[in-house]
Amino acid sequence: MPLTSCPSVLVIYTGGTIGMIKDSETGALKSFDWDHLYKQMPVLESLHCRIDPFSFDPLIDSSDMNPSFWIRLANVIEENYEVYDGFVVLHGTDTMAYTASMLSFMLEHLNKPVVFTGSQLPMGVIRTDGRENFITSIEIATAYEDGTPIVPEVCIYFENRLFRANRTIKFNAENFDAFLSGNYPPLAEVGIHIKYNRSHILKPNFRRLKVHRELDTNVAILKLFPGITPHVISGILNIKGLKGLILETYGSGNAPTDHWFLDLLADAIRRGILIYNVTQCKEGSVDIGRYQTSVNLGRIGVIGGFDITTESALAKLMFLLGRKIEQDQIRELLGQSLRGEMTVD
Ligand code: ASP
């Protein structure tokens, strides 16, 4: 049930383009005044919900995003979880997919909508995409049916589509249509109506929210390229304290068959480093064993990440390593879908 007949939403502003307006006198971009939201956007009055703002201080460009900020963001949601029906997180677009993926892992048993959005043009610019993104996100965050939220998961709303957060990447630096979920259908499509794709939305489990705050940043990402040398591979695999590596492979999880390459990886795995195989493609899945070039990876103990995004794989590794559980259990969990982040066949 919404908490009252007038649903409530907490709008959490972290920084980024969406919160900028042009100073009418100087023409310079300055911060939108979220504390006086209704004064800035009187149209919000007609939404029939209560919108309360929360602004981080200081605000950050999302290029400065980091794990301690993720923890603070999760704390704000936890502290307000019982008070609001839904949450809208305004975030810079550059690292939104990382933050939103991470929050999906940190917020276990989430039963309320947490909708991330942002914009390519500042809120105060006449052609802004921020206004529509913001208003529709509020509608989605407060949408309930038969007493339960329609989208009780962490998601990203951008340019008429709602995506599962941990399936989404930013793929365009200029277009309004900037986000992509190559391996999972949109959770909703927005035109005259908001059409929810119900069979693809997670169901609420009505369990108590559990927030995981321990994140381990001893991870790295290695993107393969033709001509990569042993120095590069061994340089990364010998980083002091490294516990997990995301290996961005070709196509369906393929990598060079050179002995030196496999030996370096096998040695790292013996030393306890987890290697997670993620494809460089924006659509499709790692399928270890489809080609001889990936059979070797499976044989030495590289873990297949199916169709997970790099952003989500990074968040999952930090989250699982932070849980201080046995390595075997982490290996097992990396092969499972924990929050709908990958399709396991
Ligand atoms: N650099 C900005 C950020 O990610 C871009 C944006 O907001 O879209 O914070």
Side-chain angles (χ1 to χ4, degrees), residues 41-62:
M41 286 177 80
V43 67
L44 297 176
E45 302 277 1
S46 49
L47 279 179
H48 304 299
C49 60
R50 196 182 92 226
I51 307 167
D52 290 341
F54 177 97
S55 269
F56 273 88
D57 185 18
L59 299 167
I60 60 166
D61 184 288
S62 81

Side-chain angles (χ1 to χ4, degrees), residues 99-169:
T99 301
S101 295
M102 182 52 99
L103 266 287
S104 78
F105 292 107
M106 293 173 83
L107 304 176
E108 188 174 5
H109 308 314
L110 180 71
N111 282 294
K112 291 187 178 182
V114 175
V115 186
F116 278 74
T117 196
S119 67
Q120 295 283 64
L121 277 178
M123 198 69 143
V125 168
I126 196 147
R127 282 196 306 107
T128 185
D129 51 331
R131 194 183 133 93
E132 194 281 322
N133 285 347
F134 178 58
I135 292 173
T136 308
S137 295
I138 288 177
E139 284 193 71
I140 292 168
T142 51
Y144 274 63
E145 201 174 65
D146 299 332
T148 48
I150 298 182
V151 193
E153 55 173 293
V154 184
C155 37
I156 290 181
Y157 177 74
F158 221 85
E159 186 65 2
N160 301 331
R161 281 178 302 168
L162 181 73
F163 301 116
R164 174 166 299 157
N166 55 35
R167 292 289 195 153
T168 309
I169 57 169

